[in-house]
Amino acid sequence: MGVQFGQDLPLQRPDKDDSRAALFVPSAAIKEDVLAAVRKGAAVVGFGNHDGTITIYYESNRFNEPALQKWEQKARKAYERLFDNLPTTSKMVCKSDYFEQVGYISTKGISIRRRDSLDRWLEFSDAMDTAPEGDTVAFAPPAPPKKIMPAD
């Protein structure tokens, strides 16, 4: 039995028209080298490819930034890199068997559909204290740019 993905797994990089990407957690089939690259407790976002692989971006907060302590903060950071196609070493294309889809992320927030699988990943990672409080996490819109006033 293969890993079950949502029937509407996004099949392209999110953009302004469709900002949705998938949220993943590692499955039991993940290879040790892939797990070592992703790191325990990481948030993983991405999309499916037409050849059956997935493109993922991940954030594990390996530099211990205070703003990335919670899992949803890591997910948002990885999503922003994916959405803006930013250069990073925290991305890969891999077999879809290595990951299980647990929900969706967009510019508006997170929707978790398989909480048991997310909790299992965070428990395995000894990171349950980073788990989101609910199955939906709304993102506050970004602050408007500051107006620059000319000097007198």
Side-chain angles (χ1 to χ4, degrees), residues 71-81 105 139-140 142:
W71 178 85
E72 64 258 31
Q73 294 165 329
K74 295 175 197 172
R76 188 171 189 178
K77 180 74 168 185
Y79 173 77
E80 288 169 353
R81 282 193 207 116
I105 186 168
F139 293 153

Side-chain angles (χ1 to χ4, degrees), residues 1 8 15 22 25 28 33 36 54-56 94 104 107 110 120 131 133 152:
M1 179 175 112
D8 56 348
D15 58 28
V25 295
D33 59 329
I54 58 174
T55 298
I56 61 167
C94 62
Y104 300 95
T107 54
I110 292 172
R120 191 169 31 256
E133 291 181 19
D152 290 335

Side-chain angles (χ1 to χ4, degrees), residues 3-9 24 54 96-97 99-101:
V3 174
Q4 297 285 323
F5 284 93
Q7 291 181 356
D8 56 348
L9 172 67
F24 298 108
I54 58 174
S96 60
D97 294 2
F99 290 89
E100 175 183 353
Q101 184 179 350

Side-chain angles (χ1 to χ4, degrees), residues 39-42 120-128:
R39 299 171 53 106
K40 288 184 176 180
R120 191 169 31 256
W121 165 239
L122 294 176
E123 189 174 321
F124 169 77
S125 302
D126 195 26
M128 278 303 291

Side-chain angles (χ1 to χ4, degrees), residues 9-76:
L9 172 67
L11 293 176
Q12 65 183 19
R13 180 178 304 281
D15 58 28
K16 67 179 180 63
D17 295 324
D18 181 11
S19 68
R20 196 175 55 129
L23 284 166
F24 298 108
V25 295
S27 72
I30 195 167
K31 299 292 183 200
E32 284 297 321
D33 59 329
V34 176
L35 182 59
V38 171
R39 299 171 53 106
K40 288 184 176 180
V44 182
V45 303
F47 56 91
N49 300 311
H50 294 287
D51 64 359
T53 62
I54 58 174
T55 298
I56 61 167
Y57 282 61
Y58 48 92
E59 176 58 59
S60 63
N61 194 20
R62 67 187 219 189
F63 298 114
N64 207 21
E65 292 181 40
L68 296 175
Q69 296 301 315
K70 302 291 278 173
W71 178 85
E72 64 258 31
Q73 294 165 329
K74 295 175 197 172
R76 188 171 189 178

